[in-house]
Amino acid sequence: MTSRRLVLSRGAALVGAASTGILLPQIVRAQSNRIRVGFMLPYTGTFAQLGVAIENGVRMAIAEKGGKLGGRDIEWFKVDDESEPSKGVENANRLVQRDKVDVLIGTVHSGVQMGIQRVARESGVLNLIPNAGVHAATRALCAPNVFRTSFTNSQPTLALGKPMMDKGLKRTVWITWKYAAGDEAFEGFRDSYTKAGGTIIKELGLPFPNVEFQALLTEIASLRPDAVACFFAGGGAAKFIRDYAAAGLKDKIPLWGSGFLTEGVLDAAGPAAEGIMTTMHYADSLDTARNRQFRTAYATNFKMQPDVYAVQGYDTGLLLAQGMAAVKGDFGNKQALYQSLETQTIDSPRGKWTMSKSHNPIQDMYLRRVENKDNKVIGIAAKALADSGAGCKLA
Ligand code: PHB
């Protein structure tokens, strides 16, 4: 019954649990001055590692700030959303209605985010989005209580077209998972690449989270483009990279992508990943004291290397801690809290960033190349890039 599984970490507050495989806790709510923070993230499936990295990042940022939010202790809750859009509303309501969280941190998958977005808009719960890039969340469906600390799906690929054309790659095949994240990443790629004079000779796709790439790779070989550009992430990205090399394409047709392609997968992808070029709002090798300090602390705490997802989680923790400090823990003062969240500068390992009026980061995009299992910075592909925020009425 994985689909019904609920992951909980609330220590002493958990006073009863059924032994049916479904945990039905009774919660001691008395006298609590604690702030209730719920994670709704994928802990299973192709994005499982992404969920773990985000949670690690959030916890580390808050621990560095003394483990409290505006002086208040924290009670944590967790739900595995399985990257399953059809359960998005139900899972969000587990946290909002049953667990009565004050803050919902989630999620990774754009389709699942649409469920959270609905619950956030209806309930007014504070939602911090640590990854999912779906445009609607900070465009047509933007809300005063929803803030994103990551990107919109077209932000990284808006920086991709020009560097490809600069390398003389004029005819490209695009390939992705066919769902909001892939389709919107395509929008950014199409706009930047065609503006720079490139031609997209074919769009290829397969349903999320399928990894049967063989027929599509055969088609790419026969199309003989100058390059391939793509959006994939997590376990599926590692497999795509390996299959691309195994199909004999690696040394013939350069592979480019939205930077998620090479995040958190470089060990799993091995030599097949070397040389891949991507654009992204973070790079492992960013040579700043802030990034070095973050990477050392993360590796020490979690015995693994951080990636962009860990950074986004970390920044989510920073944003929440800074906002709560500004209102001195007075979570009820929503107007002051939201105003504070809107105006924070986040001193991130990715570089300092601020919130746009539609509640999405304004940030630099880096051009990177995989070298020796590292996303090496080649340069800045776009400076202070903001999403259009089209249709958002917050401003
Ligand atoms: C998304 O579904 O919005 C998504 C998922 C994984 C990523 C990026 C975007 O790495």
Side-chain angles (χ1 to χ4, degrees), residues 47 50 108-111 131-134 151 153 179 181 231 233 260 309:
F47 290 159
L50 285 58
V108 167
H109 184 286
S110 278
N131 187 74
V134 62
F151 54 85
N153 286 322
Y179 80 109
F231 165 83
F260 306 110
Y309 308 106

Side-chain angles (χ1 to χ4, degrees), residues 91 97 115 134-135 156 222 238 263 278 294 316 328 369 388 393:
N91 279 328
Q97 295 195 359
V134 62
H135 285 166
S222 70
E263 286 296 322
T278 58
F294 165 78
T316 305
K328 301 193 172 48
R369 181 170 51 226
S388 74
K393 302 226 164 53

Side-chain angles (χ1 to χ4, degrees), residues 45-47 82-84 109 177-179 206-213 232-233 235-237 239:
T46 202
F47 290 159
E82 307 164 50
S83 295
E84 179 47 66
H109 184 286
W177 277 315
K178 291 296 294 171
Y179 80 109
L206 71 173
F208 175 87
N210 285 11
V211 289
E212 300 309 321
F213 299 117
F232 290 109
K239 176 146 193 310

Side-chain angles (χ1 to χ4, degrees), residues 106-313:
T107 189
V108 167
H109 184 286
S110 278
V112 180
Q113 180 60 34
M114 291 303 280
I116 296 181
Q117 198 80 13
R118 195 168 122 196
V119 171
R121 285 164 63 94
E122 284 170 8
S123 66
V125 75
L126 174 60
N127 172 213
L128 304 180
I129 311 174
N131 187 74
V134 62
H135 285 166
T138 52
R139 293 192 187 180
L141 297 179
C142 69
N145 53 316
V146 176
F147 295 83
R148 178 153 48 202
T149 56
S150 49
F151 54 85
T152 61
N153 286 322
S154 57
Q155 253 181 323
T157 42
L158 271 174
L160 188 60
K162 184 165 181 310
M164 289 183 71
M165 281 303 285
D166 289 348
K167 289 263 186 225
L169 304 167
K170 298 186 186 130
R171 294 170 65 258
T172 290
V173 169
W174 169 263
I175 179 166
T176 192
W177 277 315
K178 291 296 294 171
Y179 80 109
D183 294 343
E184 293 176 352
F186 176 70
E187 279 179 40
F189 175 64
R190 181 198 58 208
D191 292 357
S192 61
Y193 188 61
T194 56
K195 190 169 155 213
T199 305
I200 300 165
I201 61 170
K202 184 107 193 194
E203 280 177 66
L204 298 173
L206 71 173
F208 175 87
N210 285 11
V211 289
E212 300 309 321
F213 299 117
Q214 208 47 55
L216 297 168
L217 293 171
T218 305
E219 190 170 349
I220 289 172
S222 70
L223 287 165
R224 303 169 64 128
D226 294 341
V228 168
C230 68
F231 165 83
F232 290 109
K239 176 146 193 310
F240 182 72
I241 293 170
R242 286 195 309 265
D243 288 4
Y244 194 86
L249 298 177
K250 177 174 160 38
D251 297 323
K252 293 196 191 123
I253 308 173
L255 180 57
W256 290 63
S258 180
F260 306 110
L261 178 67
T262 57
E263 286 296 322
V265 304
L266 294 178
D267 282 332
E274 293 292 306
I276 294 176
M277 302 282 295
T278 58
T279 46
M280 176 96 307
H281 44 280
Y282 179 65
D284 306 334
S285 70
L286 276 180
D287 191 17
T288 60
R290 184 75 178 103
N291 188 42
R292 281 192 296 274
Q293 173 254 323
F294 165 78
R295 295 192 69 85
T296 306
Y298 190 94
T300 308
N301 274 305
F302 304 110
K303 314 287 173 249
M304 59 171 124
Q305 291 301 316
D307 54 21
V308 74
Y309 308 106
V311 171
Q312 293 165 181

